[in-house]
Amino acid sequence: MSIRSYEINLDSFSSLIPEPIVGRQGDKNGAVTLYVTVTDRGGAVDLTEQTINLMAKTAKGTAIIADNAGVTITDAVNGKFTYEIPNALWSEAGKIKDAYFSLNDTDGQQTTYDLIFVVKKAIDISQDKANDYITIIDGTLRSLQVKIDAIYEEYKNGSFYSRNEIDNLFSEYYRKDQIDELISDITGDTHNQNTLDQYFDNIIDEFGGPIPSYFVNELNGMSSIDDSTFNVGFITDNHHQLSSYSPGSLTHYANISALTRMVPINTVISGGDNINGYYGKKQKLTETRQVTSGLYGRVDHNTDVFFLLGNHDTGNGQNGNNKPENTISEDELKYYYLTNGKAFGETRNGDSLYGFKDYEQYKIRLVWLNSFDLPWTLKSDGTYNYDFLTTSGYQGEQLEWLAKSALKLESNEWHVMIFTHCPLPNTFEVAAGQAPLTQINSDILISIINAFQKGTSLSVSEPSRELPVSFDVDFFGQGSGVVIGLFSGHIHRDGQMVHNSINCVETSCSLCHTGDTGRVAGTLTEDCWDVFSISKSSRTIKAHRFGYGNDRTITY
């Protein structure tokens, strides 16, 4: 009998944030039971002949949970089952946001929206925490325990097993190579090509179909990416929308996630305009949830994921939407982008939509900025003062944080990569024949980067600016700094140029839109993203292209 139980309804089109499911660190199997009803657009999902798994990461992300041992289907036709939560889920105190149920049958896989678990810290915990532990294995270990218990009972009754019989028993249930093979099969890790091919052949992705062979072949062709370099996946301007506007858009996130399970990718940056932001708020929230789960739930467990804010992601300014009730708020974006929990060990300015992370092995700092850092203030008629669709900008607080925190390094042995959605004005939009961007305080951004590069000081005091800026910073102590590049999207074209001494690199859109030259849905050209491999010794960026476009080699 469970100590706590929850009745939850899982509807893939619900925009409500689910109620947290609470347990305590060290709780045993079945201490918490979920009574689940699965619906889709309000109608029950038939669970007949479905296999149901809980897919989750523990609070600190050190364990992968892939468990079906606790599932009991109680009313298949009406989508009802119970689930006894395994003890591995409660191994680490904290908040679990990467969790959902997957439903699998011969036609493929569907998933529910994300669940939230809160694991309260135990006062005295004796069990070891999970360490890359996968709970499907737990069923095997439980079977072993049953056998051990039986041996002990026979021992008490005067019957004895020979040493060979005991050795054979452990060989059957606990061979190390079998456990390793099982882990590899479940995670799609670590660079086992046969395992990955089997994944593509036999498991339907939740985004609506098996990954097509032309994408699989392209992924296989990228398996030679050097694992000694610092590798960053950059997918931008996917413009996911539940319509025909962006064909295959969710599969594009599945593609880049799959590559992380083939070769070591340190980080995936989703560079903004992750959704198109066109329809109502409920649909935008659903689209955002699909996009974020497409990366968080699928990348290799050693790969970090960071989302950037694009001008379409709030929906503000799109299709006449310009009020809080029909756009996504800053707090809602922070919730979906996991900024508060700092899930990947990054550093942020509080729970900001910008941050950085150090990769000590490579002496590279990855910085991502919010190029739509505008006040969320309202006019008297309830509409936003700023149109996020057409106006870019950096407020003083972010710029000061960049100068005094993100670009402060132990030594100039470290190199810096900077990602942002909008490029600097008068760069790539001009090359593409577009009007120059409106980007408030971009000149201050350039001044900060240049001061870092030169190892000089910078003093800014301009309180009368539209977005006021005031700070002092001194880079003398750390010497001349190296910026690998300022990487961006937004323009939907590839490009590279040095602008104001800054190496600017532009990646084309993942979006395949009707009428785009050279892009055809249902072919390799439908998708487009890069993996940037950084060689500090040769000062080169090797841009490995997936889909539309070509590989590039860029010096810095």
Side-chain angles (χ1 to χ4, degrees):
M1 185 177 193
S2 64
I3 299 173
R4 294 174 298 281
S5 64
Y6 290 81
E7 185 167 348
I8 59 177
N9 182 281
L10 302 180
D11 192 317
S12 62
F13 273 74
S14 172
S15 63
L16 298 176
I17 296 175
E19 174 191 1
I21 300 160
V22 181
R24 192 172 299 280
Q25 191 178 15
D27 276 352
K28 64 181 182 179
N29 291 335
V32 179
T33 297
L34 306 182
Y35 293 82
V36 184
T37 302
V38 185
T39 59
D40 188 7
R41 296 180 177 87
V45 173
D46 191 346
L47 303 180
T48 303
E49 298 184 356
Q50 296 270 14
T51 299
I52 301 171
N53 293 282
L54 177 72
M55 307 296 293
K57 289 182 181 179
T58 51
K60 296 180 181 178
T62 62
I64 300 170
I65 311 298
D67 179 68
N68 58 26
V71 173
T72 301
I73 295 179
T74 55
D75 186 349
V77 173
N78 290 308
K80 296 181 182 294
F81 68 91
T82 62
Y83 180 69
E84 294 188 349
I85 297 174
N87 57 1
L89 191 79
W90 310 117
S91 61
E92 296 171 347
K95 195 171 188 178
I96 299 173
K97 297 179 180 178
D98 294 339
Y100 58 88
F101 284 109
S102 68
L103 283 59
N104 301 270
D105 59 18
T106 56
D107 291 329
Q109 174 179 286
Q110 294 176 286
T111 64
T112 66
Y113 65 53
D114 291 341
L115 299 168
I116 296 176
F117 293 87
V118 175
V119 185
K120 294 184 176 181
K121 187 174 182 179
I123 295 175
D124 179 22
I125 180 168
S126 58
Q127 72 178 46
D128 293 334
K129 75 173 185 177
N131 182 18
D132 292 333
Y133 182 78
I134 301 176
T135 60
I136 285 177
I137 298 171
D138 202 28
T140 300
L141 300 183
R142 285 197 294 269
S143 297
L144 174 60
Q145 187 62 53
V146 170
K147 289 283 189 179
I148 292 173
D149 291 343
I151 291 172
Y152 181 64
E153 288 299 318
E154 293 201 28
Y155 164 77
K156 289 194 298 182
N157 293 330
S159 299
F160 296 95
Y161 281 75
S162 71
R163 174 61 184 268
N164 285 339
E165 288 173 317
I166 293 175
D167 286 345
N168 290 337
L169 172 66
F170 276 81
S171 294
E172 176 186 356
Y173 283 96
Y174 199 67
R175 260 181 45 205
K176 179 66 169 61
D177 60 331
Q178 289 177 327
I179 298 297
D180 290 342
E181 182 180 356
L182 180 57
I183 291 173
S184 180
D185 285 344
I186 292 168
T187 62
D189 189 35
T190 51
H191 329 312
N192 182 328
Q193 196 61 49
N194 292 331
T195 299
L196 186 62
D197 286 340
Q198 185 178 26
Y199 173 89
F200 288 129
D201 290 342
N202 296 331
I203 296 185
I204 305 296
D205 187 85
E206 76 169 82
F207 296 150
I211 297 180
S213 60
Y214 47 83
F215 285 150
V216 175
N217 293 337
E218 183 83 344
L219 290 169
N220 288 338
M222 299 178 76
S223 62
S224 61
I225 290 176
D226 189 351
D227 60 5
S228 68
T229 57
F230 181 68
N231 298 317
V232 181
F234 185 51
I235 181 170
T236 187
D237 295 271
N238 198 18
H239 289 263
H240 170 53
Q241 184 167 289
L242 292 170
S243 72
S244 60
Y245 173 77
S246 54
S249 53
L250 287 178
T251 302
H252 302 175
Y253 291 109
N255 290 340
I256 195 169
S257 295
L259 186 64
T260 69
R261 302 192 297 272
M262 298 175 68
V263 297
I265 305 295
N266 300 92
T267 304
V268 170
I269 300 286
S270 189
D273 285 358
N274 309 298
I275 69 168
N276 197 43
Y278 190 80
Y279 291 107
K281 182 170 183 174
K282 183 176 181 180
Q283 178 166 332
K284 286 193 280 277
L285 288 171
T286 298
E287 291 162 349
T288 303
R289 183 172 65 245
Q290 289 175 324
V291 164
T292 53
S293 66
L295 289 181
Y296 292 143
R298 275 162 182 73
V299 297
D300 181 80
H301 64 281
N302 291 312
T303 302
D304 300 330
V305 176
F306 302 113
F307 280 86
L308 274 58
L309 178 63
N311 54 312
H312 285 256
D313 288 314
T314 66
N316 179 9
Q318 259 282 58
N319 195 26
N321 295 318
N322 57 7
K323 295 183 177 181
E325 56 264 31
N326 53 34
T327 58
I328 298 179
S329 71
E330 183 178 27
D331 285 342
E332 287 165 329
L333 284 168
K334 289 178 177 179
Y335 170 79
Y336 285 114
Y337 293 175
L338 302 181
T339 68
N340 186 46
K342 301 175 180 63
F344 299 96
E346 72 273 20
T347 298
R348 295 181 186 267
N349 182 13
D351 63 348
S352 64
L353 291 166
Y354 50 90
F356 70 81
K357 182 171 180 179
D358 288 339
Y359 294 85
E360 177 73 33
Q361 176 184 351
Y362 306 94
K363 294 293 191 291
I364 289 178
R365 174 170 287 184
L366 194 70
V367 179
W368 57 98
L369 302 177
N370 176 10
S371 55
F372 291 89
D373 180 20
L374 302 167
W376 292 72
T377 53
L378 299 174
K379 301 175 184 176
S380 59
D381 62 357
T383 61
Y384 284 110
N385 276 306
Y386 284 93
D387 181 343
F388 283 49
L389 188 67
T390 59
T391 304
S392 172
Y394 298 89
Q395 293 193 65
E397 183 177 355
Q398 181 180 189
L399 292 170
E400 182 176 4
W401 171 89
L402 174 66
K404 299 171 74 171
S405 181
L407 293 181
K408 284 291 187 177
L409 301 170
E410 295 179 7
S411 72
N412 59 9
E413 181 184 3
W414 285 72
H415 294 186
V416 178
M417 297 181 77
I418 304 175
F419 286 83
T420 189
H421 179 70
C422 268
L424 295 173
N426 299 303
T427 56
F428 299 112
E429 82 281 16
V430 174
Q434 301 176 12
L437 290 167
T438 298
Q439 189 174 98
I440 305 170
N441 288 341
S442 61
D443 58 328
I444 304 296
L445 174 62
I446 292 170
S447 297
I448 293 169
I449 296 174
N450 287 164
F452 167 78
Q453 291 172 310
K454 296 174 183 176
T456 58
S457 62
L458 178 66
S459 179
V460 180
S461 180
E462 299 195 38
S464 61
R465 281 197 172 218
E466 182 176 358
L467 300 180
V469 186
S470 181
F471 65 87
D472 296 292
V473 66
D474 187 346
F475 293 112
F476 279 117
Q478 63 191 47
S480 301
V482 177
V483 174
I484 296 170
L486 179 64
F487 300 85
S488 59
H490 184 67
I491 305 300
H492 294 202
R493 294 194 183 187
D494 290 329
Q496 186 273 329
M497 67 174 66
V498 176
H499 179 75
N500 283 296
S501 302
I502 302 169
N503 179 31
C504 299
V505 181
E506 176 79 6
T507 293
S508 188
C509 58
S510 180
L511 168 71
C512 176
H513 184 258
T514 303
D516 286 350
T517 302
R519 307 293 293 272
V520 180
T523 72
L524 182 61
T525 63
E526 177 191 287
D527 197 1
C528 173
W529 41 266
D530 284 320
V531 174
F532 297 118
S533 295
I534 309 303
S535 173
K536 290 173 60 182
S537 60
S538 62
R539 294 287 187 98
T540 59
I541 306 162
K542 176 65 175 179
H544 305 273
R545 173 55 55 88
F546 181 91
Y548 172 75
N550 300 294
D551 292 352
R552 297 175 286 171
T553 299
I554 302 165
T555 58
Y556 69 91

